[in-house]
Amino acid sequence: MKLTAKGISRRFFRNARNSNYFYAVEKTDLDLEEGKITVLIGRSGSGKTTLINMLAGVLTPTEGSVMLDGQDIYKLSDTDRSITRCRHIGYIPQGQTGLQSLTVLENVLAPSVMYPSNSDQTKYAHELLNAMRIDDLSDIYSNELSGGELRRMSIARALINSPEIIIADEPTADLDNDTTSLVLGLFRQLADNGASVLIVTHESDVLSYADRVCKMDKGILKISD
């Protein structure tokens, strides 16, 4: 499954009269290649998170299209786009996210419960938590986790539906060196098995895993192969 952005941009208005605006992302084309890890770097405020939010189906572009296997996801209804995103795109947002009323296991299972398949994903959820080395925490609530544990939980949650596209915003923030290597090794394995992986990062360690490096500078994407 291929994700392709064609001429996408995002404009934000500075005042209610819509007379003053700026482009967080200038007109951009980008293909996420199957079986490859693309790493996106750039200074804070350069437009990286805005770009990947458009690619992940959570922020409508001002112009352009995001094609998933030939279908513009922003021409789908909100419900259909949510289902498509849940089934095919594993999105790991920046920051520490978790539903405090749910246990770690329930948080990881949440995407599979929202749009269930024919199989129970509980066993696979435990496998993911074990891969993230937090399966022993599966029965506690997410508000009891450390920042690094929350990050690992969010990675497991993003992978529960075996997505073909993985988009991760600073996924190794809050992680120590050993866990960073663990997470990046998992992303490498997923890419080698055919997934398209996009990682936003400030950390130089991630670059050694990249098949392609892109850079955002003042809303402009520059691609180097």
Side-chain angles (χ1 to χ4, degrees):
M1 181 165 287
K2 188 172 184 178
L3 186 71
T4 302
K6 296 183 178 180
I8 61 171
S9 68
R10 181 65 193 194
R11 181 176 62 192
F12 290 98
F13 292 95
R14 301 181 192 274
N15 60 46
R17 295 191 301 274
N18 295 342
S19 59
N20 190 343
Y21 60 85
F22 69 98
Y23 278 91
V25 175
E26 301 282 354
K27 206 168 186 178
T28 296
D29 296 331
L30 180 64
D31 291 335
L32 296 188
E33 300 180 46
E34 297 174 0
K36 298 291 181 67
I37 294 178
T38 299
V39 172
L40 178 60
I41 61 174
R43 294 182 179 276
S44 297
S46 62
K48 303 185 304 298
T49 295
T50 300
L51 175 60
I52 67 169
N53 281 342
M54 290 190 289
L55 296 174
V58 298
L59 179 65
T60 304
T62 300
E63 58 185 335
S65 59
V66 178
M67 312 296 291
L68 183 62
D69 261 11
Q71 170 68 59
D72 185 349
I73 62 176
Y74 287 102
K75 289 187 177 178
L76 299 172
S77 68
D78 288 345
T79 298
D80 287 343
R81 183 166 67 251
S82 179
I83 292 171
T84 296
R85 184 173 63 242
C86 188
R87 289 178 175 169
H88 301 294
I89 301 175
Y91 181 44
I92 303 161
Q94 193 176 42
Q96 300 166 1
T97 60
L99 298 173
Q100 295 186 5
S101 62
L102 300 182
T103 66
V104 169
L105 179 62
E106 289 167 342
N107 265 280
V108 172
L109 284 169
S112 68
V113 172
M114 289 173 61
Y115 303 106
S117 63
N118 294 326
S119 60
D120 185 354
Q121 296 289 70
T122 302
K123 180 180 177 182
Y124 185 48
H126 279 292
E127 290 174 0
L128 289 170
L129 289 171
N130 187 58
M132 291 291 100
R133 298 178 182 170
I134 53 170
D135 193 34
D136 59 323
L137 305 177
S138 61
D139 291 331
I140 73 169
Y141 288 91
S142 63
N143 61 351
E144 301 176 67
L145 299 180
S146 68
E149 290 164 347
L150 274 171
R151 184 80 58 184
R152 283 180 275 171
M153 183 190 76
S154 69
I155 293 170
R157 182 178 58 211
L159 301 179
I160 189 64
N161 286 334
S162 301
E164 298 94 336
I165 313 292
I166 299 158
I167 298 175
D169 195 355
E170 300 285 357
T172 58
D174 302 321
L175 301 183
D176 59 30
N177 290 337
D178 288 343
T179 310
T180 292
S181 297
L182 175 74
V183 169
L184 294 176
L186 175 60
F187 287 157
R188 179 74 268 171
Q189 180 182 357
L190 292 168
D192 290 344
N193 289 334
S196 302
V197 181
L198 174 61
I199 303 172
V200 172
T201 188
H202 285 97
E203 300 182 22
S204 59
D205 292 353
V206 182
L207 296 176
S208 63
Y209 291 81
D211 298 300
R212 178 175 61 168
V213 176
C214 302
K215 183 177 181 179
M216 289 291 290
D217 184 18
K218 298 179 181 178
I220 298 172
L221 182 70
K222 300 176 182 179
I223 302 173
S224 59
D225 293 307

